[in-house]
Amino acid sequence: MIVVLAGGVGAARFLEGVVQVAPADRVTAIVNTGDDFELHGLLISPDLDIVTSTLAGVIDREQGWGIAGDTTACMEWLGRLGGPTWFKLGDRDLALHIRRTALLRGGATLSQVADSFRRALGVAVRLVPMSDDPAPTHVLTAAGEFHFEEYFVQRRAQDEVRGVRLHAAGPAAPAPGVIELIASAEVVLVAPSNPVVSVGPILALPGVREALRATAAPVVAVSPIVGGAAIKGPAVPLMRAVGMEASALGVARAYADFLDAIVIDQVDGELTPAIEALGLGVAVTDTIMRGPAEKAALARVALAIATVSRSPG
Ligand code: FO1
């Protein structure tokens, strides 16, 4: 199994590349749930929905989230009735949250819901939430502590970030199968996702980092930082706030204890010696995923360096 640690938009696009170069039923994504939150009494799982909808081919490609061609009638009425409208949920998108909430209230686990949704939408990649427990990510800012989506969407990532509180609801356990998937993987890929708020919550689950260090599978990351900037989202202020350098080298350092190799962008080629000095393999390529060909090429490079980077275990 090719196991991919995944956040939202960047991971979803990367997975579109992976399934072009490997059979989709041999790929499992372990998906961040730190962005999950409740709104309108509904359980929203942004990263699971982004990955599911992208692989199902129904994503709004321009935004990277939401359903293509969705309408907003419900949102407009929610606004008229005085409900919060800062998090845009299209009518079809709302169906996911209504159904998920009903299934969870009926006793299903998030893992079961994720599996039923991906099957219903014809996704062959197995999608496993990182945890079945609530594990919200909070951002500590000069203006107070906020759930990640409040910081990122409602407050437009404008507050000065001072830190991050992962699993803010209390201890969370890895979902069933997460540790075993890492232990028995052929390859583990860390998608080009935010290392602090997308991959960080997965790594902070008990046993996950240890499993990544111990697995016999090569572990290869793709840097989401290109030329010192994030491809998408607020990675730079968040990385700085937790003491990471906002560069591909900073990403390599953050994962160095379990990583065998990292794929970095060609604009960061000069970082290669410093990353190699950490004991990691480096592949330098174009990591900007403009279309299907670039996505496939990036996945091919990540899998190729994996085959020459064996973990000592
Ligand atoms: N991102 C926004 O910037 N604004 C939104 O209104 C918004 C709504 C939304 C609805 C469903 C969904 O699955 C994702 C949504 N996102 C929105 C994306 C989301 O905030 C983040 O990009 C991810 O949580 C980070 O991966």
Side-chain angles (χ1 to χ4, degrees):
M1 201 48 96
I2 298 171
V3 173
V4 183
L5 306 191
V9 180
R13 292 182 177 155
F14 180 63
L15 281 161
E16 286 186 292
V18 175
V19 298
Q20 287 185 68
V21 300
D25 60 3
R26 278 194 39 225
V27 181
T28 299
I30 298 172
V31 183
N32 171 44
T33 59
D35 298 358
D36 293 18
F37 70 120
E38 203 176 304
L39 196 63
H40 316 295
L42 302 174
L43 231 293
I44 322 266
S45 263
D47 286 356
L48 272 170
D49 288 350
I50 289 167
V51 171
T52 307
S53 303
T54 301
L55 292 173
V58 298
I59 198 80
D60 179 325
R61 291 212 167 263
E62 216 148 283
Q63 294 180 143
W65 48 268
I67 308 292
D70 212 349
T71 48
T72 56
C74 188
M75 206 74 220
E76 283 154 31
W77 275 77
L78 282 167
R80 284 177 76 170
L81 298 172
T85 56
W86 57 270
F87 201 73
K88 306 283 178 240
L89 297 168
D91 296 329
R92 291 176 180 82
D93 195 0
L94 271 160
L96 296 173
H97 316 309
I98 292 168
R99 182 76 185 131
R100 171 166 39 237
T101 306
L103 289 169
L104 290 171
R105 298 230 163 108
T109 63
L110 188 60
S111 297
Q112 290 167 337
V113 175
D115 197 55
S116 107
F117 280 17
R118 66 103 183 167
R119 285 175 193 276
L121 294 176
V123 173
V125 172
R126 246 185 91 198
L127 302 179
V128 179
M130 68 178 200
S131 178
D132 283 340
D133 303 323
T137 296
H138 286 191
V139 182
L140 313 176
T141 79
E145 178 170 338
F146 302 104
H147 182 274
F148 172 74
E149 297 292 0
E150 288 175 318
Y151 156 77
F152 180 51
V153 178
Q154 187 175 28
R155 302 178 65 84
R156 298 168 197 277
Q158 276 170 3
D159 300 302
E160 180 198 317
V161 182
R162 297 194 171 154
V164 166
R165 197 148 74 93
L166 302 176
H167 308 178
V178 163
I179 300 294
E180 295 78 2
L181 276 163
I182 294 169
S184 64
E186 294 160 52
V187 183
V188 180
L189 301 175
V190 185
S193 295
N194 187 315
V196 182
V197 295
S198 298
V199 182
I202 306 175
L203 300 179
L205 291 163
V208 166
R209 247 191 142 99
E210 292 77 2
L212 287 164
R213 283 192 209 117
T215 184
V219 184
V220 174
V222 179
S223 174
I225 304 291
V226 173
I231 297 170
K232 195 178 182 300
V236 169
L238 288 164
M239 288 178 77
R240 290 204 178 121
V242 300
M244 290 180 194
E245 183 181 296
S247 70
L249 175 59
V251 177
R253 281 195 190 119
Y255 300 155
D257 59 308
F258 61 79
L259 209 61
D260 296 296
I262 186 165
V263 182
I264 66 171
D265 195 83
Q266 54 210 7
V267 305
D268 293 317
E270 80 274 10
L271 297 174
T272 301
I275 297 174
E276 283 174 344
L278 299 170
L280 305 180
V282 182
V284 181
T285 189
D286 179 5
T287 63
I288 308 291
M289 296 176 281
R290 290 173 198 87
E294 286 93 345
K295 289 171 191 166
L298 182 58
R300 211 172 277 120
V301 169
L303 290 170
I305 189 147
T307 62
V308 294
S309 312
R310 274 281 154 207
S311 165

